[in-house]
């Protein structure tokens, strides 16, 4: 047998809305932390994919440079297989929004915002400040710079 008993109302009571607000606030902080952690993990994943894109850029460059030597050495089949693998990797990266930009030959003003200049070469055949060598390309994710380029600039010889 259950009988209703009156409960004495004493003390300070927090309104139901205030209690719910406090619970929601506590959970919102947890959700914000989880979102922040996920964002950091996503950015690190994108950077890892960017490093893979750099590898594919260098593989493509190496294949271009060594094509004649490989074919002359009778390595046509190996060369074609490597080129197919490179093309598949490049296609998958591009479909996921990863691309690259080779700043080679670009003026300093064009690359200043996304390239790290690691050295200079001064020669008389340079008529302006241009990228003389790309060490690392610019890696873009959905059109935004993900990884900056590393370059060596060329400039005319200094008058001393």
């Amino acid at each position: 047998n259950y009988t209703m008993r009156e409960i004495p109302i004493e003390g300070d009571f927090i309104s139901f809305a205030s209690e719910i607000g406090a619970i929601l606030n506590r959970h919102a902080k947890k959700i914000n932390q989880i979102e922040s952690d996920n964002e950091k993990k996503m950015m690190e994943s994108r950077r890892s994919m960017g490093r893979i894109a750099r590898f594919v850029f260098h593989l493509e460059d190496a294949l271009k440079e060594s094509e004649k030597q490989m074919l002359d050495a009778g390595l046509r089949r190996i060369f074609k297989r490597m080129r197919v693998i490179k093309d598949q990797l490049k296609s998958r990266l591009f479909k996921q929004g990863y691309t690259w930009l080779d700043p080679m030959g670009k003026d300093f003003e064009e690359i200043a915002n996304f390239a790290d200049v690691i050295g200079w070469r001064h020669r008389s055949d340079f008529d302006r400040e241009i990228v003389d060598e790309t060490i690392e390309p610019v890696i873009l994710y959905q059109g935004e710079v993900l990884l900056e380029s590393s370059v060596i600039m060329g400039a005319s010889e200094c008058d001393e």
Side-chain angles (χ1 to χ4, degrees), residues 17-33:
S18 295
E19 288 182 41
I20 294 297
I23 291 169
L24 290 174
N25 189 36
R26 192 170 58 244
H27 289 292
K29 287 178 182 176
K30 288 179 186 176
I31 290 170
N32 288 340
Q33 183 61 46

Side-chain angles (χ1 to χ4, degrees), residues 100-117:
W100 52 77
L101 170 67
D102 183 358
M104 181 68 179
K106 297 203 179 292
D107 290 333
F108 179 76
E109 291 79 24
E110 292 179 70
I111 58 102
N113 292 331
F114 55 78
D116 182 23
V117 177

Side-chain angles (χ1 to χ4, degrees), residues 62-76:
L63 287 170
K64 284 178 190 173
E65 286 181 16
S66 63
E67 181 176 10
K68 183 177 179 350
Q69 294 91 338
M70 290 182 78
L71 298 178
D72 289 349
L75 301 172
R76 176 180 298 279

Side-chain angles (χ1 to χ4, degrees), residues 4-5 9-10 19 24-25 28-29 40 46 49 54 82 95-96 104 108 111-112 115 120 124 146-147 152 160:
M4 288 284 285
R5 293 182 281 166
I9 300 177
E10 296 176 10
E19 288 182 41
L24 290 174
N25 189 36
K29 287 178 182 176
K40 289 175 187 173
R46 287 183 185 140
M49 290 298 290
R54 278 188 171 163
M82 289 177 66
K95 283 180 185 174
Q96 292 179 20
M104 181 68 179
F108 179 76
I111 58 102
W120 287 86
S124 60
L146 179 65
L147 300 173
I152 296 176
E160 293 186 33

